Amino acid sequence: ESGAAKLINAMPPAWAKEFTGSMKHPPLEMKRRKLDELMREHPHHPKLDRNIVETFSARGALRADAIRGPAKLYRIVDPSNEGAGMFWISEEAFKALKNRDEWRSKFAVKPDWNQNGWFVEYEVKAGETLHVWRGPAASQKIDGTSYYLEGGGEQIVFCPASRDKMINALPRVDRKTGAIITNHSGAADRRVEFTDVTGEVAPSKLRAQITDSHIKGPIETGWGTADFSAQEAKRILITVPTT
């Protein structure tokens, strides 16, 4: 059970919906043949796979689009997220957001994925065309809890031309054995170890620099940088039974 799951189980926030057997926006399922057909029809669009398709809701249309500049897109980030990630929202959707709770609920962003606090802006310049996939975001089950994130807000998927530079930290070391910890590919795990608000160690990558010239930011959202402060977490875990 992650630190976020402990807090959600103890005192569910407004964006956590109780899972009763079904979700409002179940993930879209698409057969390989249909995926291949879509890519043949839209060869200039980002490559789709089942993992990406499943982030879209089955109760809505996944569609190809071409955004012609001038236009702006937005992405909410924390220091561990790439500014040049693939999930974005329109300027209209961004400006309509009132707070962190609404963003997390509408776009089904798990706390373990993104703590928020900042945003970046992608500018499609006059004369440019950006090929994207767009459609309502699927609901997301919150691991270790009986809750889910609703989704339904329109997400826009594309791949910026230049990836961010990430901090190349020293390899993580197993505190018991002294051995270097490796990642899924067998290379040294160079994530930075943070202690979350519940006191648990949470390894994470750390962004060093955004390199894509189309992207401005990060800029503070004004929403704060966490769903729970350390003081709130301590109070919740002490005073509210989790079992």
Side-chain angles (χ1 to χ4, degrees), residues 8 31 56 61 94 105 108 113 139 141 149 158 166 171 175 177 184 201 223 227 238:
I8 292 166
K31 293 183 179 180
F56 288 91
F94 175 74
S105 176
W113 291 348
S139 302
K141 184 77 170 61
L149 289 150
F158 72 97
M166 307 301 284
R175 299 181 185 184
T177 66
H184 64 279
V201 174
W223 301 340
D227 294 278
I238 288 175

Side-chain angles (χ1 to χ4, degrees), residues 157-194:
V157 169
F158 72 97
C159 300
S162 177
R163 299 290 298 274
D164 293 2
K165 291 181 179 178
M166 307 301 284
I167 288 177
N168 191 29
L170 292 172
R172 295 176 61 218
V173 175
D174 187 304
R175 299 181 185 184
K176 293 182 179 179
T177 66
I180 291 177
I181 299 172
T182 57
N183 58 27
H184 64 279
S185 64
D189 185 347
R190 295 181 179 273
R191 291 178 296 172
V192 177
E193 292 189 351
F194 292 96

Side-chain angles (χ1 to χ4, degrees), residues 147-158:
Y147 297 93
Y148 76 98
L149 289 150
E150 187 172 290
E154 186 187 56
Q155 64 180 19
I156 297 172
V157 169
F158 72 97

